[in-house]
Amino acid sequence: QVQLVESGGGLVQPGGSPRLSCAASGSIFSIATMGWYRQAPGKQREVVATLTSGGSTNYADYVKGRFAISSDNAKNTVYLQMNSLKPEDTAVYYCYAYVRPRAGSNFYAYWGLGTQVTVSS
């Protein structure tokens, strides 16, 4: 089994710059992709940013130029640096990983429990 644990959320003032972290642990042979999604109240979960093992990144239009995704592969950890936060960025942020648990197995998607980010003065 694979566990993803997020940290770094909380109450942030508009314009703030928190950093989220997500550490993957458990049965991990390789990770193809890690990323962040978010879900605001009453809305569907949406992608924020993804990062492949090859270093390719993808960002949602609404965070381009403000958020940056990075990773520490040795620690199976992905980060989301959020800058210039707006009230509309308020959401639960979920970590995602596409993991091959064992050599020769398929890849499977795993999710963290989420961390709340509230942008308010």
Side-chain angles (χ1 to χ4, degrees):
Q1 192 58 280
V2 175
Q3 297 82 37
L4 302 179
V5 179
E6 304 104 333
S7 61
L11 177 63
V12 184
Q13 290 193 340
S17 300
R19 187 177 80 157
L20 304 183
S21 300
C22 171
S25 63
S27 179
I28 299 173
F29 178 76
S30 63
I31 299 176
T33 303
M34 294 189 78
W36 294 91
Y37 286 65
R38 71 185 188 185
Q39 187 167 18
K43 295 187 177 181
Q44 291 188 332
R45 190 174 298 188
E46 58 187 9
V47 64
V48 176
T50 59
L51 173 62
T52 71
S53 59
S56 297
T57 58
N58 185 53
Y59 293 94
D61 287 342
Y62 46 81
V63 303
K64 283 181 180 177
R66 298 191 298 127
F67 293 9
I69 189 170
S70 62
S71 66
D72 183 335
N73 293 335
K75 296 180 179 179
N76 290 330
T77 298
V78 67
Y79 305 97
L80 184 68
Q81 177 65 49
M82 303 188 290
N83 300 314
S84 303
L85 281 181
K86 307 173 183 179
E88 51 263 43
D89 293 316
T90 295
V92 177
Y93 284 72
Y94 294 93
C95 178
Y96 161 89
Y98 199 50
V99 177
R100 174 176 280 167
R102 297 167 300 280
S105 73
N106 291 329
F107 281 89
Y108 298 94
Y110 296 91
W111 293 89
L113 296 179
T115 184
Q116 176 71 47
V117 175
T118 301
V119 185
S120 175
S121 56

